[in-house]
């Protein structure tokens, strides 16, 4: 089967097709179809179902390019993943949902239906849990929502916190004073913040207390009013720590809790507060859980394959077969 596809604007076609038709190549290889290009005219050949998916992908991407959204290789990969799973999905509703525009004028938007659901959950609920594997944008989108709420005056401050627990490490063995000891644990939160706000502005906000970055232990005994609070790496909270954190939330505050329950670094004798809270709090109005999967990974395309490989290994172990030789 061969499907002709014709676009109108040469400049938009160049952006859609990518340098040296890189984007077309990605679609063709992913769906195992052929895509011939001549100017703005395409001809898609191959299995009818796959060719139809390719046509849908390119048509929808052209539509969002026409609305001013710049398309890069990772966007093409996300479009392939989304529309291969659901041909009725609308990329426009996902990619053009701007959460925040960075200092470099780059829009931060959801990259998958689950990310869009997550953003909507944060807008509509006081407490949201984002649970899923690394690279799915849980912390990054939460940070974007926090910065947007702060710059719009919806909250007076942003509070960023993590449990100071990592595999095989302990604070006491790290060099430096307390601030230097905890800094490595909070580095991912700083990185996300500095990607959205110029370093000098972020430093000024932190200096005057508008943004507070601290280990979870520092939250005990406090009440956080008029704040946007993010608890990252929550899989490493104990049951007691999770209860303590959730009861810190005061008036006109919202909290986002993120974590990956497949990467728990607590001692075996300690249960994860994030695992426990899934059952305790489900069904309570104002609290919503969003669950991400490897299909939502927005890092390098190999990250999704790496997660899949580890999942297969764990499944093999659970079945008593052990890792493949």
């Amino acid at each position: 089967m061969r499907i002709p596809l014709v676009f109108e604007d040469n400049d938009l076609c160049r952006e859609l097709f990518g340098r040296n038709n890189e984007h077309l190549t990605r679609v063709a290889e992913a769906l195992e179809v052929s895509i011939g290009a001549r100017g703005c005219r395409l001809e898609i050949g191959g299995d009818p179902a796959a060719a139809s998916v390719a046509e849908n992908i390119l048509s929808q991407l052209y539509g969002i390019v026409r609305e001013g959204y710049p398309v890069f290789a990772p966007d093409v990969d996300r479009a392939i993943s989304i529309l291969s799973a659901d041909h009725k999905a609308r990329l426009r509703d996902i990619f053009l949902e701007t959460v925040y525009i960075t200092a470099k004028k780059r829009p931060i938007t959801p990259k998958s239906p689950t990310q869009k659901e997550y953003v909507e959950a944060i807008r509509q609920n006081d407490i949201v849990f984002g649970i899923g594997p690394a690279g799915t944008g849980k912390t990054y989108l939460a940070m974007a929502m926090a910065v947007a709420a702060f710059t719009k005056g919806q909250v007076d401050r942003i509070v960023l916190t993590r449990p100071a627990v990592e595999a095989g490490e302990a604070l006491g063995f790290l060099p430096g004073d307390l601030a230097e000891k905890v800094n490595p644990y909070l580095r991912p939160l700083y990185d996300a913040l500095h990607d959205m706000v110029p370093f000098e502005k972020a430093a000024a906000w932190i200096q005057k207390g508008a943004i507070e970055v601290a280990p979870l232990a520092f939250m005990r005994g406090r009440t956080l009013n008029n704040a946007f609070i993010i608890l990252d790496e929550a899989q490493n909270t104990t049951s007691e720590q999770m209860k303590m954190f959730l009861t810190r939330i005061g008036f006109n505050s919202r909290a986002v809790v993120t974590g990956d329950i497949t990467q728990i670094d607590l001692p075996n004798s300690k249960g994860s507060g994030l695992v426990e809270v899934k059952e305790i709090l489900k069904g309570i109005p104002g609290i919503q859980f969003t669950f991400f999967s490897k299909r939502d990974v927005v890092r390098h395309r190999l990250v999704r394959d790496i997660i899949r490989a580890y999942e297969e290994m764990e499944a093999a172990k659970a079945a008593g077969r052990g890792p493949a030789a």
Side-chain angles (χ1 to χ4, degrees):
M1 179 179 182
R2 308 197 73 80
I3 299 176
L5 190 57
V6 181
F7 300 115
E8 302 169 355
D9 189 296
N10 287 328
D11 291 334
L12 297 183
C13 286
R14 280 193 290 271
E15 183 171 345
L16 172 64
F17 296 174
R19 183 178 298 178
N20 298 321
N21 290 343
E22 175 195 5
H23 298 167
L24 299 182
T25 300
R26 295 177 95 88
V27 174
E29 290 179 351
L31 299 176
E32 298 181 347
V33 298
S34 64
I35 302 178
R38 186 170 184 176
C40 275
R41 294 176 175 273
L42 299 179
E43 188 171 80
I44 306 170
D47 175 79
S52 179
V53 172
E55 178 189 23
N56 189 17
I57 290 168
L58 293 169
S59 296
Q60 291 206 41
L61 284 176
Y62 181 81
I64 65 175
V65 168
R66 189 169 52 193
E67 293 196 43
Y69 183 93
V71 169
F72 302 100
D75 299 310
V76 177
D77 293 338
R78 297 306 308 151
I80 294 168
S81 176
I82 293 167
L83 293 175
S84 294
D86 180 8
H87 70 278
K88 293 182 179 180
R90 287 167 51 89
L91 296 183
R92 184 185 184 282
D93 292 344
I94 299 170
F95 285 20
L96 299 185
E97 173 72 65
T98 301
V99 175
Y100 183 74
I101 298 177
T102 70
K104 296 181 179 179
K105 306 303 181 185
R106 181 176 62 84
I108 296 174
T109 64
K111 300 294 186 183
S112 73
T114 308
Q115 287 194 356
K116 179 176 172 60
E117 173 191 328
Y118 181 56
V119 167
E120 288 301 316
I122 295 171
R123 285 178 175 151
Q124 297 171 12
N125 296 272
D126 290 334
I127 301 177
V128 173
F129 292 84
I131 301 174
T136 49
K138 306 180 300 294
T139 302
Y140 193 81
L141 282 174
M143 181 68 77
M145 294 291 288
V147 173
F150 177 70
T151 55
K152 292 176 182 176
Q154 296 172 354
V155 295
D156 294 337
R157 57 180 167 158
I158 299 171
V159 179
L160 311 174
T161 185
R162 299 178 86 191
V165 176
E166 298 295 342
E169 299 291 343
L171 284 177
F173 294 99
L174 294 175
D177 60 21
L178 181 59
E180 292 170 325
K181 286 176 184 289
V182 302
N183 188 65
Y185 296 97
L186 304 173
R187 188 76 257 165
L189 295 172
Y190 283 115
D191 289 344
L193 175 62
H194 292 151
D195 197 36
M196 300 168 196
V197 180
F199 183 87
E200 296 77 11
K201 178 180 284 189
W205 287 353
I206 293 171
Q207 183 68 31
K208 70 178 185 179
I211 295 181
E212 178 183 350
V213 188
L216 181 60
F218 286 21
M219 297 296 107
R220 190 172 299 278
R222 301 177 60 188
T223 300
L224 303 173
N225 295 318
N226 300 307
F228 195 117
I229 314 150
I230 299 175
L231 170 58
D232 193 31
E233 297 291 331
Q235 76 274 7
N236 289 329
T237 61
T238 64
S239 176
E240 295 81 6
Q241 287 175 325
M242 179 62 75
K243 179 181 177 182
M244 179 273 291
F245 170 78
L246 293 174
T247 54
R248 299 309 93 201
I249 299 167
F251 295 108
N252 192 40
S253 289
R254 68 183 81 171
V256 180
V257 180
T258 69
D260 177 1
I261 58 177
T262 69
Q263 296 191 34
I264 298 172
D265 298 318
L266 292 167
N268 291 333
S269 60
K270 294 283 189 179
S272 168
L274 185 60
V275 173
E276 181 183 69
V277 84
K278 288 194 305 174
E279 298 302 320
I280 295 176
L281 300 183
K282 66 180 180 181
I284 296 180
I287 299 176
Q288 185 165 327
F289 289 83
T290 301
F291 295 94
F292 296 83
S293 71
K294 59 180 176 289
R295 285 171 49 187
D296 300 300
V297 171
V298 292
R299 292 181 182 168
H300 192 287
R301 63 194 309 184
L302 284 176
V303 173
R304 202 177 312 150
D305 296 331
I306 291 168
I307 292 171
R308 184 184 302 112
Y310 273 94
E311 287 178 346
E312 291 172 355
M313 181 190 71
E314 293 298 327
K317 285 182 178 179
R321 298 193 301 272

